Amino acid sequence: MFIQIYVYDKTTGQYLYQDVGNPNGVIRDLSDDKDFTLTPPPDNVKPWRWIDDKWIAA
């Protein structure tokens, strides 16, 4: 089973990248300064930040 996660910086909320893979693997690969959500950003056109459990245009 694979999952897709959307990784962001814990401090700024800035969207960094998406990762797809085995749940244990993709979560284990996150460094301490990163977190993730299962909710994709609305688009890839503009920069996004994850703030208060939602994507906000940066």
Side-chain angles (χ1 to χ4, degrees):
M1 179 173 97
F2 289 115
I3 63 167
Q4 185 167 342
I5 64 171
Y6 302 90
V7 180
Y8 61 91
D9 182 278
K10 276 186 182 179
T11 304
T12 65
Q14 179 183 2
Y15 172 65
L16 301 172
Y17 60 91
Q18 76 179 35
D19 199 357
V20 177
N22 174 295
N24 292 330
V26 295
I27 294 169
R28 184 181 57 236
D29 289 345
L30 292 176
S31 58
D32 291 341
D33 62 336
K34 294 178 180 62
D35 205 352
F36 72 95
T37 179
L38 299 175
T39 305
D43 62 49
N44 290 325
V45 176
K46 48 187 158 178
W48 295 95
R49 294 187 185 281
W50 184 252
I51 299 174
D52 296 329
D53 296 331
K54 61 186 172 198
W55 289 112
I56 305 292

